Amino acid sequence: MVRRADTSDEDVNPQSTTQVKAETIPKTEKHKGKAHGAPDEMSRAHAQDEEMSPKGAKRARVNDAGDALARNQEDEIQGQEAEPPVPLVARVKTLPRDVDGYIPGSIVRIQLRNFVTYDFVEFCPGPYLNMIIGPNGTGKSSIACAICIGLNWPPRILGRATELPSYVKIGADEGHIEIELKSPSNEPNLVIKRSLSATAKTSSFTLNGRGATGHEITERVARLNVQVGNLCSFLPQDKVSSFAAMTPVELLRETENAAGDERLKTWHATLIDTGAQLKEVNEKIQGERATMLQLQERNENIERDVQRYRERKEIERKIAMLNVLIPVQHYREARDEWLALKGKQRASHARVSRLQARNQPAHALLAKLEEDAAELHGKRELVKKDLRSVLAKVEKKTQECEELESKADDAHTALANSKKEEKVRLNTIKNAEAQIASITEELAAKVKVEDESEVKAERKRIVDDFEASPWEAEKRTNDRRSAAAKERRRRNDNAEADGRHQLKALDSIEARKLGNLMQWNRDAGDAVHWLRANKDKFKMEVFEPPCLSVTVPDQNFAAAVENSFGPAQMRMFVCQCKEDYDLLNHLINDNPGLGRKARVPTWYRPGTENDLTPPPMTPDELAQRGFDGYAIDYVDCPEGLKWYLKRELNMHRTAISLRGIKDLQGAIDAVGRSGPNGRTPSTNFVERGTLHQVSRSKYGQRTLLSSATELPPARTFGGNTQVNPVEKERIDDILLRCKQEAVKIHDEEREVGLESTRLAKVKQEHNADLATFDQRLDAIRQQANWRTERERKRKSAEQTRANALKKGNVAEVDARLRAQIMNIGKKRVKLVTEAVELAREVITKQTNATTLGLQYLQICAKKTALKELCDRKDAKYQLALAEFNKIDAAFIESKKTTKALMQTSQDMLKELQEELREEYQEQEQARTAYETIVKESQKNGQEPPPPAENVDLRSMEELQMELEKQEANLEMNTNTNPGVVEQYEKRKRDIEVLQKTIEGRERQAAKIEKNIKNARDNWEPNLRALVASIGQKFSAAFDRIGCAGEIRVREDESYAQWAIDILVKFRDTEKLQLLTSQRQSGGERSLTTILYLMSLTEQARAPFSLVDEINQGMDQRAERMVHNSMVEVTCKPDSAQYFLITPKLLPDLEYHERMKILCVNNGEWLPDEPGLGNMMHMIDAFVAKNKRA
């Protein structure tokens, strides 16, 4: 027995201990009155100790199934809790009820030791309704915690503490939970025991007394379809508000888990997955079709060029083939001509040979005369050679004589000039002596000159004194100060210019927008810079992306307008004509126009305003329904860009309301109206901060679907273009510091300038002193140079005089010249004598040569007469020989030409492309075969067959004419850029790949749609039947309390967004409103929750359900109605086990014999003796006493 302090059930870690016993009262008949309880004696099980780490050591981690792992299996993550995930619920039907009344999966027994507020407790719930009652803080909700944790569900489901040690009673080191679940018939019940530790986050399991893993426990519990993680089946106290806070989508899924056909969730999951797959496939098909359409459009634009290119290629192929066929045909024709000449040459040669044999004797005599004539001619030539040699000697003697005569004439001339030269020599001597005397007299005069060494010494002293002065040091210091001031001014000027540039950029909204675009997408930013520099290339204006060219003057509409744009649409470059669209793609997307490979989105669509789907509402209706206008009304942009905003973004159909819409459903119906073509395009509208997307279902009755999402704040059109005040303050501070620094630099430069002026003046005075000394030194040097020049001139005059004296007198020269003339005369006499002797020899040799010449002329006359005789006799021979020579020359020329043509043909064939060479070879083989057939036919005397189509028998002239024709066609065919053809072929291949891909995706989409239809045909009828059944009971329950409630299935284009809407009305003045966690009060939400759960109970598949304190906040009328309805629903013969936890009960409630009441007793003193204080015994004693009375 222990004493306890006041605690509350909400405190998971109470500061005192409690010993609590659970009591049950089986009812034998239905009656009204207060509920009483009596304790039952329960057997106490010993808790199994779990192996734990010593305090301060590493703790074992918990794996995904909730198992404790050994320390050598996983490293411990300090301070991090690992809890098991919510186990997946297996899809099984509720098993049939056993003879003891329990459905498999129901809880037969619960035992707790050192768990939250309990020291120890063990009780057995009934198979139907179990009402757990007791004052607040006694531990009723702890039973819900025990069921959740004991069956290996994560503590976070409870909405309380998430760490397992928090559920061990304060002051205890360990505790355990033992739950006995009903098994199918003929199988032992499942006894699951989970041991907890106060010092570790791990736990251990046993199953029917043997060790088990958390995964095994989860699997065995899932087989019995236990759904603790489903709020529709297990609603703890701290999760009551979570039920009302569940989104309609979550409510639908939890309802599928808890009730109806067990395959609902599988079908729904299939629809979600296949729907997402279908959406993804359709989006891919749409994108690929758009890409393929764009490629096809671009190919269609250049298809004519490609056709011309292909025609040009075909012409070039024919020309190339003709360029080979013509030389080959030329060779054939030349060869035929050569073969014909060859036959003629052989026949003519035979005839010439026969005629030549007849005249052979006469020709032999003629040959003998020719030999004699040749011999005499040789002898005559030798004599003539000797004669020419003697004549050459005579000529040489004559030339030598003429040379001596010329020398004699020169000697006579020199003898005449010797007197004149003597007179000139005497004058030269006289002038030289006069010049020498004058210079000597000038040098003798004395001139006063300073000592150069003394002047230099004095100058050096002045230089040394200046260098020893502080001027140089002061100059260097001042120069350094000046350079430092200049550097400071340069840096300051740069900083000020940079600051002003930053300030200007900060003030420019356009610059900020472009900067944001550059950060977002570099390709688009560079393309904008390029476009601004190349606007002249385009026929019409190409609009920059909307993030730059579109503005929203009224910032209240910025978020709604911006939501109309996708990321790619915000970066789109919009063209106004097809030519500009193709050119922009060619320059940027197809070629590296930006200096690198880039990809930017481009757009162009032809059409007019009449092609657009009109707005869903007129301006009057728009205002009536609470809309301010359409998105297109609140943008400023170039007029040409509005076609893109309407055609691509439907901004003329996107309605916006900032003040709110009263009739939301009416607005959805108005926006979702069918267009003129009977189709309803997907349309959006904005209501305050919510974006509504309206579309029409593709199945069934094609009802309108709508979804609502929160509207994100504007970024591109919002306040991000405002000037950053912190940045502006920083730049202003930089400019102020630069201004202050400029004043300091100015003062420094003024001081440096004054010092520079003073130093320059000192330097100038020093330079003036040095200039005076330099003038004195120049005077000394000039005097020395003058004397040196006078001495040089005197020496030159002396040398001239000496040279004139050396020449001697004129008598000696005359004697020498006369002797020379005498010698020349003697040599001339000798030469004349030798020339006379040579002349006599010339006469002798000339006589011999004349004799031989006469003999030669005589023989030649005989030979000529004989030759004339032979010619007269050989007239026929000569004619035959001439004809032969003519034929032979033609034959040789033809042979040479034929060989050259053959070589040319072979060279052309070698250079021919492989495919053309194969085509040529096929033609040659066909021609050769045809020629063989023709020869055989001619040999057999038959008519040759006509040639086949592939046999080319055209002559060279015909081939030449065909070549000229094709060349003319080539000139008429404009040359096309091969790159265009490469792009066309590449796009064509891409189109073929895309076509195959789209066909495959369409087959995939059709298969998915078929799967969707099959799954929907199974899922939707069952879901609607389930919801209709639940809704009927739900509406009836609300009718009984004078309120209204309705449950609807809300469809959506996405199966993941299908939902169950709970609509309730608690007052006559209200309309049905959607149940939310904000709109209704706490009591209204609790009432709605329990009525929905009750309506769900008959359809539920879980073996047991639990709700904790669901009646909090209800008034007595609602609480009584709920209680009576719950007893009626949960005590039917086919009802599953149900736990209702409540701290209070109203008087005069209805009860049923199948329900069981569990009273949690609590107080400062509880007996330990079994049976003592048993409430059931007290009730029996009270009844017996009344009977006796």
Side-chain angles (χ1 to χ4, degrees), residues 35-36 156 266 283 321 327 370 633 724 762 857 916 951 1183:
H36 301 280
R156 58 183 168 82
T266 304
E283 288 176 352
M321 183 61 71
E370 287 178 351
D633 302 330
N724 187 346
V762 173
L857 290 174
L916 294 178
V951 177
V1183 172

Side-chain angles (χ1 to χ4, degrees), residues 1058-1120:
W1058 276 53
I1060 291 180
D1061 288 337
I1062 300 179
L1063 294 94
V1064 294
K1065 184 181 74 169
F1066 293 95
R1067 298 163 189 84
D1068 293 337
T1069 58
E1070 295 179 347
K1071 295 182 179 180
L1072 285 172
Q1073 294 180 334
L1074 187 67
L1075 178 68
T1076 65
S1077 59
Q1078 297 87 17
R1079 185 172 292 170
Q1080 287 78 20
S1081 66
E1084 292 171 346
R1085 294 197 300 272
S1086 298
L1087 177 61
T1088 304
T1089 300
I1090 189 61
L1091 291 180
Y1092 184 83
L1093 295 179
M1094 287 170 52
S1095 303
L1096 189 67
T1097 299
E1098 294 184 24
Q1099 303 290 335
R1101 298 190 304 273
F1104 68 84
S1105 302
L1106 180 145
V1107 292
D1108 187 0
E1109 297 194 16
I1110 194 65
N1111 54 346
Q1112 295 298 318
M1114 296 184 191
D1115 56 25
Q1116 291 188 12
R1117 181 176 64 92
E1119 185 176 353
R1120 186 179 301 279

Side-chain angles (χ1 to χ4, degrees), residues 23 116 145 180 206 222 260 390 431 451 457 459 480 530 564 637 729 792 906 988 1062:
E23 303 172 353
V116 193
C145 298
E180 182 177 351
T206 62
V390 175
N431 291 334
D451 188 352
R459 184 182 186 282
R480 285 196 296 270
W530 180 90
S564 300
C637 66
E729 183 179 357
R792 186 188 64 76
Q906 292 174 350
K988 187 175 180 181
I1062 300 179

Side-chain angles (χ1 to χ4, degrees), residues 497-512:
D498 185 58
R500 294 190 183 280
H501 178 72
Q502 293 182 30
L503 186 61
K504 182 179 179 181
L506 193 65
D507 291 337
S508 172
I509 295 178
E510 182 179 359
R512 290 198 300 277

